Every structure is written in structure tokens, then in C-alpha cells.
Amino acid sequence: MENGKKKLAVLVGCNYPNTRNELHGCINDVLSMKDVLVNKLGFEPSNIELLTDAPGSSVMPTGANIKAMLSQMVDHAAPGDVLFFHYSGHGTRIPSYHGFKQDEAIVPCDFNLITDVDFRQLVNRLPAGSSFTILSDSCHSGGLIDKEKEQIGPNEDNPKSLPTHPKIIPFDTILHQLSSVSGVQSSDIGLHMMEVFGKEASIKFQLSKAEMDHLGRSDSGILLSGCQANETSADINPLVSGGKAYGAFSNALQTVLKEHGTSISNRELIIRTREILRAKGFRQHPCLYSSDENANAPFLQGTL
């Protein structure tokens, strides 16, 4: 491995089987990504953790389990290491403490949301010279690392749309689900999260507004989002695709990687992925959030 760098990955696919929120391609997305990591990008299979809600799965992708795996990966990182998290599943937006905006979160199988603040805290813990790339194929995934610099952002282009299933669970649905469990009558999602999940809830719901405003910021985070913060990401049912189910963003990005391997930068990867999605008629615009240096660094090859 080049310069002794370790390459570590956590891959999470949530299909939410037998629920009203069921998706079809998310597990396929991360299984395909594992193949790309090993055969194209030099990852050792023993350094890849796979977490899905497939029937019979021994460890479910709950919020606590996902955060534990990510925390363990960060704890094992050394200077110069390359860390990767690929999530394919539902996303959502929740009210911000700031009142006038919304914040992004992913939705594990138990609805224990993992928020933009959780990802910021993980990135801040990285040792110097390492990198943490997050690829989120979920709705509203733009901006999923709090305070990260936007490199490729919103685009008003609006191609024709295909019949797809968006990877979103609306805030009201999440609030209703948690309310039924917590027994709390409130529109404050933080109260429900703390009542249901306690210390396993996102730190967004445990820190004060002042504490969150003073969270530090490192330049080690790289976010490749499946769409803009105000958009949805598509899950393709096999009845539509005529074959295997998949996430539109994951599939397009993997197509680019299979063609270009280790030679493509994060910036060029997102540009080419956008081109594929546009040509196929998808109404979503992948985005890139990172430092200038990491935007131009080769995908999953460390900093320049």
C-alpha cells in the first residue's frame, strides 16, 4: 500500500424491508462498492466493514451500530490513512437550532438519526494528514458534514424525470414514528430522540446551541452527496430498470470509477457523475464539499 497508508471503509445499506419506507437498491449499492474498493482502489477486504438490514443480518444498521463502527474506524486511524463511509438509504431534513434553516441527517433502520453535527465531530477527531470521505446516496445529502466548504453545489438544471422512488422519509413521518414510541406530545424532535435513544442519540440533540456553534472545523472531511440539500436521490426498482435494483447516484459514480480507477479527482468524479445522471434523465445533482486541496485530490488516495 502506497507510503504505508491504511485504507479503511464502513459500508451501510438500508432497504427497510417490509415497511412502508422500503427501498430496493441500497444493499446492492454497497455490495457493488465493496467490489470497486477491492478491485479498483486497493482496499483490503479485512479493512471493510459491511452493515445492512438484509434478512438474517446479525448486526442491524441502527444509529448506534453505525456510529460505533464509524467511531472505531476513526479511533484506528493514523496520520495519512484514508477513511471511507458509503451510506445508501433514506435521508431527511430536521429543523435547525438557528430557526431559519434545516439541517441534514441520514435515517438508520431504527430512526436514530445521524446528523451533520455527528459527521463534523467524527471528522474533527481525525489525526493530521488523514482524510475521511463520506459518500451519501440519500435525499437531502448536500451539506451532510456541518461547516464543510462547498466545491460543487446547487444547480438549477432540471432535466426530465424518470419514475423513481425517492430516498426520503419526511420530517413529519419521523416525528410521528418517534412520538408513537416516546409518548411525548411535542413538535421538538430532540425531546423524542432523547426519550427514545438517550445517550445513543445524535449529539445535535445533546449539545446546547452555544456548544454546537463552537464546534471546531478541520479540513479532513470530503462529502460526495447524491443530491443537493433541497433535492431527493433516486432508488431504482428492478421493475423500472429491467434488472438489478440500485441507487442512481451510487450506480453512476461506480460506472465512472470502473472507467477511471485511481486517476480521477473528487471534483472530476462528481462532474462526470452529474453528466451520467443528466443523460439518463435524473432530477438530482450530486455535490462536493471539501477543502480546495481535497477537491483536487484523487478519490480515496489521500491528500495531495
Side-chain angles (χ1 to χ4, degrees), residues 268-281:
E268 187 66 19
L269 177 57
I270 288 298
I271 290 171
R272 290 180 182 269
T273 300
R274 276 192 173 196
E275 291 171 352
I276 289 176
L277 290 174
R278 174 178 169 74
K280 291 184 176 181

Side-chain angles (χ1 to χ4, degrees), residues 252-284:
L253 184 139
Q254 289 164 10
T255 297
V256 177
L257 289 174
K258 289 172 184 177
E259 293 177 357
H260 297 275
T262 61
S263 64
I264 193 165
S265 70
N266 291 303
R267 186 187 302 279
E268 187 66 19
L269 177 57
I270 288 298
I271 290 171
R272 290 180 182 269
T273 300
R274 276 192 173 196
E275 291 171 352
I276 289 176
L277 290 174
R278 174 178 169 74
K280 291 184 176 181
F282 290 104
R283 300 178 68 171
Q284 64 189 83

Side-chain angles (χ1 to χ4, degrees), residues 24-296:
H24 299 278
C26 300
I27 294 174
N28 288 338
D29 288 343
V30 294
L31 291 174
S32 296
M33 181 56 77
K34 182 177 181 180
D35 180 68
V36 172
L37 294 181
V38 172
N39 294 314
K40 291 288 186 181
L41 295 167
F43 281 68
E44 296 292 336
S46 59
N47 286 335
I48 301 174
E49 297 286 351
L50 184 66
L51 196 58
T52 76
D53 58 0
S57 177
S58 59
V59 181
M60 295 294 287
T62 63
N65 288 340
I66 295 170
K67 287 191 289 186
M69 279 194 174
L70 292 176
S71 184
Q72 183 179 48
M73 180 170 67
V74 171
D75 288 342
H76 289 167
D81 285 354
V82 174
L83 281 61
F84 180 54
F85 173 51
H86 181 180
Y87 170 77
S88 185
H90 280 302
T92 194
R93 300 182 90 183
I94 59 177
S96 169
Y97 271 122
H98 295 283
F100 58 86
K101 63 187 289 286
Q102 292 180 303
D103 292 329
E104 296 73 39
I106 62 173
V107 187
C109 66
D110 64 345
F111 280 50
N112 186 2
L113 304 180
I114 303 177
T115 70
D116 55 344
V117 178
D118 295 306
F119 289 115
R120 167 48 59 197
Q121 187 192 52
L122 284 166
V123 169
N124 287 353
R125 287 169 48 196
L126 288 174
S130 58
S131 64
F132 188 175
T133 299
I134 296 171
L135 192 163
S136 189
D137 192 347
S138 59
C139 292
H140 305 307
S141 45
L144 196 56
I145 303 179
D146 189 42
K147 302 178 182 177
E148 199 60 68
K149 182 178 179 181
E150 180 182 278
Q151 297 286 343
I152 299 177
N155 186 312
E156 297 303 320
D157 184 28
N158 216 12
K160 64 180 181 179
S161 62
L162 293 177
T164 62
H165 188 165
K167 294 183 174 184
I168 179 176
I169 302 179
F171 172 74
D172 288 346
T173 301
I174 290 174
L175 190 64
H176 177 75
Q177 172 74 16
L178 294 175
S179 299
S180 68
V181 178
S182 71
V184 176
Q185 298 300 312
S186 173
S187 60
D188 183 348
I189 193 170
L191 294 179
H192 300 289
M193 295 294 295
M194 293 304 297
E195 181 68 24
V196 176
F197 299 109
K199 292 183 179 180
E200 292 182 346
S202 167
I203 61 169
K204 180 186 285 286
F205 308 116
Q206 302 185 52
L207 299 180
S208 68
K209 178 179 180 297
E211 288 173 319
M212 285 204 300
D213 287 343
H214 286 91
L215 276 177
R217 179 182 177 276
S218 79
D219 287 332
S220 301
I222 304 165
L223 171 64
L224 292 79
S225 68
C227 61
Q228 299 170 186
N230 65 337
E231 291 181 331
T232 59
S233 290
D235 179 65
I236 307 302
N237 189 306
L239 296 178
V240 174
S241 68
K244 188 174 75 170
Y246 60 86
F249 174 55
S250 293
N251 182 261
L253 184 139
Q254 289 164 10
T255 297
V256 177
L257 289 174
K258 289 172 184 177
E259 293 177 357
H260 297 275
T262 61
S263 64
I264 193 165
S265 70
N266 291 303
R267 186 187 302 279
E268 187 66 19
L269 177 57
I270 288 298
I271 290 171
R272 290 180 182 269
T273 300
R274 276 192 173 196
E275 291 171 352
I276 289 176
L277 290 174
R278 174 178 169 74
K280 291 184 176 181
F282 290 104
R283 300 178 68 171
Q284 64 189 83
H285 300 89
C287 299
L288 173 64
Y289 297 80
S290 72
S291 67
D292 296 341
E293 182 181 34
N294 282 331
N296 296 311

